Amino acid sequence: MINPSTGALLTSVPSLGQAETDAAIERAQQAFESWRRVAPGDRARLLRRFAALVDDHIEELAALEVRNSGHTIGNARWEAGNVRDVLDYYAGAPERLSGRQIPVAGGLDVTFHEPLGVVGIIVPWNFPMPIAGWGFVPALAAGNTVVLKPAELTPLTAIRLGELALAAGLPEGVFTVLPGKGSVVGQRFVAHPAVRKVCFTGSTGVGKSIMAGCADQVKRVTLELGGKSANIVFADADLERAAAAAPGGVFDNAGQDCCSRSRLLVQDSVYDRFLSLLEPAVKAYRVQDPALETAEMGPLISAEHRAKVASYTAGADVAFAGAAPAGDGWWFPPTVLLAGSTGDPHWREEVFGPVLSVLPFRDEDEAVRLANDTEYGLSGSIWTRDLGRALRVSRGVESGNLSVNSHSSVRYWTPFGGMKQSGLGRELGPDALLSFTDVKNVFISTDS
């Protein structure tokens, strides 16, 4: 493991092979038979105990994420706290996982939500803790057992969460963290018949291959994939507020966020004024040692990724850029590019770094058309004072999560997921639990 702020060796972890992965899956399959029979109130109590332990270790988990992922300490605290909150939220689910009684002739018809079995969860490196929790917590609450593969670059907080789960009293085999390569551990989740569902967050290309592999066994999948979200600013918006918020909407987590509003659409009548408001906000964005309380952005995850991000700015029309530390570490400045056309690579492709691409638009119809001119549909923002326009554009933009006069994408009690090639299924919110269950219908005849 490398500290992305310094480029120095942090520690090392084992990379598991196929035999070890299969053994862990088989232990999870065995544990499922007893875990599914744990009384709902007892399962809820264990999840609340797990949440309390995470809460006790917020600072430890956050400091570990700063070193392993380069996240700012403020973000890392929020991420650890999000795991706690998701655990608390779904701790209320086991006792409320109720079926229905359906009126029928000649008897009683009832439905049950039955757990699937072993669930495999594959977590990316950009948000190692929250995205892990969004998968494993509702799966456990519904009575499934979980095997979780953290990203190869950032496994440390997931491993620690696995230790805290055992300390909270979750039985052995119910929640197992398996560090290793995606081509080994992740592939076994897809191929092993005991794994009944795979949750994957990552690139669209890998997601497609996982979906294709799961089809062979009619295995369920939840996919949260790439994004190229639009930030649409209309002339009637509060321009000062929209400009002040724009850097956080794209540069948070160094732009390594599928929800990053990396395409900025500004109505042409206020285009020049908005850029003049945006420039000081970008230059004031604090790119610092992520352990500092004042840091708003840390480094990129790796040298390889920094080179990829830099390739999008080479030869591009740079409007302005912020500052970043020099020297060791994978640093990159917040950068604003002017798009010459919708064919520019930095406009069309997911850069996954602190790069904002800007384009003007004429009217509402063109704004919606440009926002939808992408294979992705995960998130986005709309800035306007006109409520009717806000509703029309929200309905018109093909995206799973939209914010009006805000860049907020995630609340653990509301659904999260993408449209088009940004994914399949929904995480979080009241209905996520049901995606980890099968509906069983039982008819009981009352005829003599």
Side-chain angles (χ1 to χ4, degrees), residues 18 25 50 53 106 109 146 158 193 195 230 246-247 253 257 275 279 284 333 349 441 444:
Q18 180 175 324
I25 292 171
F50 190 1
L53 267 182
D109 196 275
V146 171
V195 178
N253 201 32
D257 182 353
L275 288 184
E279 182 173 4
E349 299 174 19
N441 190 78
I444 304 169

Side-chain angles (χ1 to χ4, degrees), residues 4 21 143 155 170 212 239 285 299 314 336 363 383 430:
T21 303
L170 269 69
L239 298 182
Y285 207 72
V336 177
D363 55 24
W383 293 81

Side-chain angles (χ1 to χ4, degrees), residues 160-229:
R160 186 67 181 122
L161 287 170
E163 294 169 349
L164 293 176
L166 289 173
L170 269 69
E172 293 274 356
V174 169
F175 175 45
T176 308
V177 178
L178 304 174
K181 293 183 178 295
S183 58
V184 179
V185 179
Q187 181 57 34
R188 289 308 292 159
F189 291 178
V190 173
H192 199 297
V195 178
R196 297 310 307 144
K197 177 172 181 173
V198 174
C199 300
F200 171 78
T201 301
S203 72
T204 297
V206 175
K208 289 178 180 179
S209 68
I210 287 174
M211 189 173 181
C214 288
D216 186 56
Q217 297 176 28
V218 196
K219 186 176 298 191
R220 297 187 184 196
V221 292
T222 294
L223 303 174
E224 197 271 278
L225 308 175
K228 192 66 178 174
S229 300

Side-chain angles (χ1 to χ4, degrees), residues 51-52 54-59 61-62 65 73-89 129-130 133-134 161 412-413:
V54 171
D55 189 53
D56 290 341
H57 291 80
I58 292 286
E59 288 300 320
L61 289 163
E65 201 67 273
I73 185 63
N75 280 10
R77 286 193 189 109
W78 179 90
E79 291 157 20
N82 182 260
V83 176
R84 172 204 58 209
D85 293 342
V86 171
L87 279 161
D88 273 330
Y89 179 74
M129 283 191 285
W134 301 355
L161 287 170
Y412 59 82
W413 60 94

Side-chain angles (χ1 to χ4, degrees), residues 92-300:
E95 296 161 297
R96 294 167 177 81
L97 190 56
S98 56
R100 294 185 296 173
Q101 183 268 314
I102 302 171
V104 293
L108 175 72
D109 196 275
V110 293
T111 63
F112 300 91
H113 290 286
E114 302 285 8
L116 303 174
V118 181
V119 175
I121 297 173
I122 303 172
V123 178
W125 50 257
N126 61 325
F127 289 106
M129 283 191 285
I131 293 176
W134 301 355
F136 78 74
V137 177
L140 293 174
N144 302 279
T145 54
V146 171
V147 285
L148 183 144
K149 193 202 88 65
E152 293 151 53
L153 292 172
T154 56
L156 299 183
T157 46
I159 291 171
R160 186 67 181 122
L161 287 170
E163 294 169 349
L164 293 176
L166 289 173
L170 269 69
E172 293 274 356
V174 169
F175 175 45
T176 308
V177 178
L178 304 174
K181 293 183 178 295
S183 58
V184 179
V185 179
Q187 181 57 34
R188 289 308 292 159
F189 291 178
V190 173
H192 199 297
V195 178
R196 297 310 307 144
K197 177 172 181 173
V198 174
C199 300
F200 171 78
T201 301
S203 72
T204 297
V206 175
K208 289 178 180 179
S209 68
I210 287 174
M211 189 173 181
C214 288
D216 186 56
Q217 297 176 28
V218 196
K219 186 176 298 191
R220 297 187 184 196
V221 292
T222 294
L223 303 174
E224 197 271 278
L225 308 175
K228 192 66 178 174
S229 300
N231 180 17
I232 308 171
V233 180
F234 287 95
D236 71 328
D238 182 336
L239 298 182
E240 288 77 11
R241 183 179 168 208
V250 64
F251 303 138
D252 185 58
N253 201 32
Q256 300 166 133
D257 182 353
C258 298
C259 293
S260 171
R261 278 73 168 162
S262 57
R263 293 184 301 151
L264 175 60
L265 287 161
V266 183
Q267 197 155 19
D268 52 9
S269 60
V270 296
Y271 180 78
D272 291 336
R273 183 183 170 207
F274 189 83
L275 288 184
S276 71
L277 294 169
L278 180 63
E279 182 173 4
V282 169
K283 290 185 175 179
Y285 207 72
R286 296 186 298 273
V287 184
Q288 299 173 321
D289 178 347
L292 295 174
E293 297 286 346
T294 55
E296 294 179 294
M297 179 180 134
L300 294 171

